[in-house]
Amino acid sequence: SVVAINTKSVQEVQTYIGDFGFGGFTTQEQEVEGSGSGIIVGKNDESLLIATNYHVIQGADTVSVTCIDGEVYEAIVNGYDADKDLAVVSVALSDISKDTMEQIEVATVGSSDDLRVGEQVVAIGNALGYGQSVTVGYLSAKNREVSASDGSGKSTTQVLMQTDAAINPGNSGGALIDTNGNVIGINSSKYFSYGSTNVEGMGYAIPMSDAVSVINDCLLYTS
């Protein structure tokens, strides 16, 4: 039920050309690759529907999905909510092989409201873009207010679940599950502070109780 998501985008970068203080900056286009994770949340007559974080697909020119069998499929962005950091991408069922369809399935969504602090949780995702990996920990806290910047200076605050299961780059958009295999959160971020090395085990996930309605809204619109 968990897939790897890889993106490509063309961005403009400034490069200094010259020597000994003589020269200037020139703007060049450069292809940038990104990676994240997604959760298969539904299927209709035409598409396989996958939830992920908005920041995983933000600005992407192409999006591809890698399933558990290693097969890669082109995806499109159906919709997103930037403030909630959620998005839905889809893969046409006509593109997916029979072998892949036999190995994937729609995730079972659990209730993050019923989860108690101290319960064991498991994070699954495409850590560092290497492919699926699993980390284990506990639900450390609920209802944490977490502020993050999108790099353009805009900052948003979300109410998230905190876990000490390792959440690394590429895990974003992946599943946080309970011990019954139910998805109770969407992994989104970890604590990071420049110059700080004393903080460990502070990862965050969007509670599924909050995410479900946003995901449903994302299915109604085409970005």
Side-chain angles (χ1 to χ4, degrees), residues 5-222:
I5 295 179
N6 292 286
T7 63
K8 292 183 179 180
S9 61
V10 176
Q11 299 180 8
E12 291 186 347
V13 295
Q14 286 192 327
T15 304
Y16 185 82
I17 297 178
D19 200 3
F20 302 111
F22 297 96
F25 287 94
T26 181
T27 301
Q28 297 178 328
E29 289 189 341
Q30 178 178 319
E31 186 175 77
V32 177
E33 297 184 353
S35 62
S37 307
I39 306 166
I40 302 173
V41 292
K43 184 175 67 171
N44 58 29
D45 293 338
E46 299 178 349
S47 304
L48 192 69
L49 306 170
I50 298 161
T52 186
N53 287 135
Y54 170 67
H55 74 259
V56 170
I57 55 89
Q58 182 179 8
D61 295 315
T62 63
V63 179
S64 62
V65 168
T66 305
C67 296
I68 188 65
D69 60 352
E71 293 296 319
V72 181
Y73 300 100
E74 182 179 350
I76 63 170
V77 178
N78 283 74
Y80 57 81
D81 186 324
D83 291 335
K84 299 293 185 182
D85 195 22
L86 290 168
V88 173
V89 304
S90 63
V91 178
L93 291 180
S94 58
D95 292 341
I96 303 176
S97 71
K98 180 181 178 182
D99 288 342
T100 298
M101 289 301 297
E102 289 176 349
Q103 296 187 57
I104 60 177
E105 60 182 87
V106 176
T108 302
V109 175
S111 172
S112 53
D113 290 339
D114 295 336
L115 201 66
R116 295 179 296 176
V117 172
E119 288 193 53
Q120 192 172 55
V121 292
V122 178
I124 305 175
N126 180 29
L128 300 183
Y130 292 155
Q132 285 196 20
S133 63
V134 175
T135 54
V136 180
Y138 296 90
L139 181 66
S140 304
K142 300 172 72 173
N143 302 318
R144 290 289 200 212
E145 287 194 3
V146 180
S147 297
S149 173
D150 63 2
S152 67
K154 180 183 178 181
S155 181
T156 58
T157 299
Q158 292 180 279
V159 179
L160 306 175
M161 300 187 299
Q162 180 186 327
T163 178
D164 65 345
I167 307 295
N168 291 299
N171 274 120
S172 294
L176 189 70
I177 65 173
D178 61 22
T179 52
N180 293 317
N182 302 311
V183 179
I184 47 86
I186 298 178
N187 302 321
S188 61
S189 60
K190 67 182 295 184
Y191 180 85
F192 177 79
S193 178
Y194 286 104
S196 174
T197 58
N198 357 337
V199 178
E200 293 182 7
M202 291 184 69
Y204 299 96
I206 301 170
M208 284 307 290
S209 298
D210 297 335
V212 168
S213 61
V214 179
I215 291 170
N216 289 335
D217 287 344
C218 288
L219 294 175
L220 299 177
Y221 304 99
T222 301

